Amino acid sequence: MQTSPHPVFLAGCELGEARHVCAFFNSREDEYRVTLPFIKGGFECGDKAVHIIDPARRAEHIQWMSSHGIDVTSSQRNGQLEVHDWQNTFFRNGTFDLDQQLALLEQVLQSGKQQGFRISRYVAHAEWALQEGASLDLLLEFEAKVNHIWPRSADTVICAYDLAQFGGDIVVDAIRTHPMVIIGGILQQNPFYVPPDEFVREFRGRRAGRNNPPPAMA
């Protein structure tokens, strides 16, 4: 794991080496109360910001940043901020391709360093998995495999989940794919985290059982 040249603070705490964070929110206000100080702090430190958002929320997202004193226009112009819609990232070829998206994420993080930014702060809304062309199974496997990237990077990724959109079983599995978690606005190390290869083996086994139930007893 590379070390960051400066501390990264999120939800009032300093992040350590584990920087793949699952964040659960009950409302927009909840979300931005936690994420905006993190986003603004990144700009002040000279970090790169990459946001992947619901196309329908783009204007609202930019408005939230502007209201927090972030010069969105200037930051986009100088390359410090990139705001992408789901359609031109996760669904760039129409459907979500797991391997392609993992490669794209790593490419995005590497490009920040090539541009001269010390680290990147990546924020993505997880509701892309509920759209046509994706699935909750793909979301969970993607979240697990993202953890292979972090030994090679000091960047920070926040995966934001709207609790009104996901059932309890998905929330539990999402927690298990992240070494750090934010619940109730509090950042904590996740004691339920499962290493990616172990999670994927277990998850695929469960999925196979779900798709091929045992025959009913006569």
Side-chain angles (χ1 to χ4, degrees):
M1 166 73 74
Q2 297 179 17
T3 56
S4 173
H6 54 260
V8 173
F9 291 93
L10 174 62
C13 299
E14 182 177 346
L15 276 174
E17 290 187 346
R19 295 188 171 185
H20 182 204
V21 183
C22 190
F24 297 99
F25 302 111
N26 287 302
S27 67
R28 299 280 194 268
E29 290 74 17
D30 268 355
E31 174 188 342
Y32 287 107
R33 183 166 53 248
V34 171
T35 59
L36 279 172
F38 165 79
I39 292 168
K40 187 173 183 181
F43 285 114
E44 292 170 350
C45 290
D47 295 342
K48 174 91 175 184
V50 181
H51 300 166
I52 313 295
I53 62 171
D54 180 350
R57 288 186 55 186
R58 185 184 183 93
E60 176 195 16
H61 184 70
I62 289 173
Q63 184 177 9
W64 272 100
M65 287 194 290
S66 297
S67 70
H68 211 68
I70 296 169
D71 188 339
V72 173
T73 301
S74 236
S75 299
Q76 288 180 306
R77 187 182 302 121
N78 65 24
Q80 189 176 12
L81 170 64
E82 295 181 17
V83 180
H84 298 290
D85 298 342
W86 292 335
Q87 299 307 322
N88 61 13
T89 50
F90 294 133
F91 302 110
R92 63 193 309 178
N93 293 324
T95 58
F96 182 88
D97 183 290
L98 179 62
D99 292 331
Q100 181 187 72
Q101 291 304 317
L102 288 167
L104 178 61
L105 173 59
E106 188 150 26
Q107 177 187 330
V108 165
L109 298 178
Q110 289 174 350
S111 71
K113 292 178 176 58
Q114 292 165 359
Q115 292 172 309
F117 296 100
R118 293 173 288 184
I119 64 171
S120 293
R121 302 188 183 207
Y122 179 103
V123 178
H125 293 140
E127 290 75 45
W128 61 264
L130 304 173
Q131 310 305 306
E132 184 178 354
S135 71
L136 293 171
D137 286 353
L138 283 171
L139 166 68
L140 293 170
E141 193 159 333
F142 176 71
E143 291 279 40
K145 290 185 173 182
V146 161
N147 291 296
H148 285 305
I149 294 174
W150 306 119
R152 304 189 292 274
S153 172
D155 302 301
T156 302
V157 166
I158 299 177
C159 304
Y161 284 73
D162 180 348
L163 284 170
Q165 302 295 316
F166 294 96
D169 54 339
I170 300 302
V171 169
V172 169
D173 273 333
I175 289 173
R176 297 175 72 229
T177 61
H178 293 76
M180 301 297 293
V181 62
I182 294 174
I183 299 177
I186 299 172
L187 175 71
Q188 53 193 310
Q189 190 166 356
N190 181 13
F192 304 107
Y193 170 67
V194 177
D197 293 340
E198 180 182 341
F199 179 87
V200 170
R201 278 196 305 272
E202 176 201 320
F203 182 69
R204 288 181 176 177
R206 280 193 280 137
R207 184 169 59 197
R210 186 174 71 224
N211 293 336
N212 298 286
M217 297 294 291

